Amino acid sequence: MEYPLPAAARQYVAEHLHDDPAQLALQARRYPGLPVPDLVRQIQARQKARTKLPTWAENPDLIFPPTLSVEQASSARTAAFKASLVQGQRLADLTGGFGVDSAHFAASVAEVHYVERNAALADVVRYNLAQLGIQNVQCHAEDAVHFLRNTPDTFDWLYLDPARRDTAAKKIFRLQDCEPDVLRIMPLLLHKGRSVLLKTSPCSTLSRPFRSCATCGGCGY
């Protein structure tokens, strides 16, 4: 989809922001000069975000990805809490998604690296961050493990929110079943980051805490 949205498209979204998307789709022929299906998806996503991201949902300058990315995004309140836990010079958000966490981390850390393997989503986030005036986030459209293995940087914080649905969209909660597999890549995480902030399922349990050993700095298992 083209962005920034042309003036007529922005007006359509603003005028119909609180209307029923299904009815809007049925009325698409009334607007032959507009990409109504794309605009309806924008409206749907904004409606999904209305509660968790109220200021973003009402911001006419932002572009919204498909609703699944919005559903999986942190709320503004949750992202602000996570940002209150970190500080320092450099943080990498390795499961970037819609960029809500990265946008909030940027208020606590001098340099944020947003990492997202979905290139189209990363482009949307790069654009939105510019519209929000956030200048200390660098966007990387690549896999988290590839990014860590190839960057020369080390980080004060690494943040991950592993995907908790499998390829059949079934909910999962064991760390080794999520994507990325945090247990498998923990030595790499602890090699590249001084601290790791991990969001897990409420159903998750750790039989023993992660720790770093003095000899290798690995996961301690």
Side-chain angles (χ1 to χ4, degrees):
M1 186 179 69
E2 177 186 0
Y3 51 87
L5 292 178
R10 287 164 61 99
Q11 181 178 351
Y12 178 91
V13 171
E15 290 179 351
H16 299 284
L17 189 56
H18 303 287
D19 294 343
D20 180 4
Q23 290 298 316
L24 295 176
L26 292 174
Q27 299 167 5
R29 292 183 180 180
R30 297 183 183 180
Y31 308 91
L34 293 177
V36 171
D38 288 338
L39 299 181
V40 169
R41 283 189 284 270
Q42 287 292 301
I43 291 169
Q44 285 178 309
R46 287 174 180 271
Q47 291 177 352
K48 286 281 187 182
R50 189 178 297 154
T51 300
K52 62 165 55 177
L53 296 167
T55 59
W56 285 32
E58 298 293 335
N59 189 330
D61 296 325
L62 302 185
I63 297 296
F64 278 69
T67 54
L68 179 60
S69 294
V70 177
E71 291 171 357
Q72 294 176 338
S74 297
S75 68
R77 184 176 180 180
T78 301
F81 171 74
K82 285 183 277 189
S84 73
L85 303 176
V86 302
Q87 59 184 343
Q89 290 300 307
R90 187 180 292 123
L91 175 148
D93 179 354
L94 298 173
T95 50
F98 189 27
V100 178
D101 290 317
S102 288
H104 284 77
F105 286 139
S108 299
V109 179
E111 179 182 316
V112 175
H113 291 258
Y114 160 96
V115 182
E116 170 56 52
R117 63 184 179 182
N118 182 327
L121 181 55
D123 283 344
V124 168
V125 171
R126 184 181 293 108
Y127 174 82
N128 284 344
L129 292 172
Q131 307 313 303
L132 293 168
I134 299 174
Q135 301 179 344
N136 60 326
V137 178
Q138 298 181 34
C139 294
H140 307 269
E142 57 183 309
D143 174 79
V145 173
H146 183 271
F147 169 79
L148 287 178
R149 286 176 175 168
N150 288 278
T151 179
D153 296 327
T154 56
F155 301 87
D156 296 305
W157 286 91
L158 297 175
Y159 171 70
L160 300 95
D161 179 6
R164 289 180 292 278
R165 289 186 182 273
D166 60 18
T167 55
K170 180 181 178 181
K171 290 184 178 180
I172 52 180
F173 63 89
R174 297 194 310 167
L175 287 176
Q176 61 267 40
D177 295 332
C178 297
E179 175 61 33
D181 180 347
V182 176
L183 298 184
R184 180 178 62 83
I185 66 172
M186 186 57 72
L188 175 62
L189 297 174
L190 294 178
H191 175 66
K192 299 298 288 188
R194 292 179 59 190
S195 300
V196 177
L197 179 60
L198 178 64
K199 180 180 178 184
T200 67
S201 166
C203 297
S204 297
T205 58
L206 296 177
S207 59
R208 46 185 169 155
F210 293 120
R211 61 192 186 276
S212 295
C213 69
T215 55
C216 72
C219 63
Y221 283 87

